[in-house]
Amino acid sequence: MRRMVLTVLASTLAAAPAFAQETAPKSGEPAMSGSSGSGMGRLLSQGYEIRAAVPNGTRYIVFLQKDQSAYACEFVTLTTSRCGSIN
């Protein structure tokens, strides 16, 4: 069941790659920074786990999850990522 959900999420984001970029963070959530390169690093340090990664052209979208919270992060460069909540 979990694999099917991730497959649907991956295909949805592959069809609309700007989705993760347009999601605004809520107050109290980790900062989703593109300039410092710590968006995904900060999420990983807070206990989020990588659940899947899919290619999106020349970039990758990485899905992270912790309990009932999930994020999608797009690698802009090797050290910079943009993340947004997907639930």
Side-chain angles (χ1 to χ4, degrees):
M1 178 69 174
R2 186 178 286 179
R3 182 178 286 271
M4 184 175 65
V5 170
L6 287 174
T7 302
V8 170
L9 284 173
S11 63
T12 301
L13 285 179
F19 179 79
Q21 299 169 18
E22 295 174 358
T23 306
K26 299 173 187 166
S27 62
E29 288 187 357
M32 301 297 108
S33 172
S35 60
S36 67
S38 62
M40 190 169 154
R42 183 170 293 140
L43 290 171
L44 290 170
S45 70
Q46 292 179 350
Y48 284 83
E49 297 179 357
I50 296 173
R51 295 296 183 178
V54 295
N56 181 23
T58 59
R59 299 178 180 175
Y60 279 88
I61 305 291
V62 178
F63 297 94
L64 298 103
Q65 182 181 4
K66 177 181 173 186
D67 300 324
Q68 298 297 315
S69 177
Y71 284 85
C73 296
E74 177 186 37
F75 279 96
V76 178
T77 66
L78 185 60
T79 59
T80 306
S81 61
R82 289 187 287 218
C83 299
S85 176
I86 57 175
N87 63 347

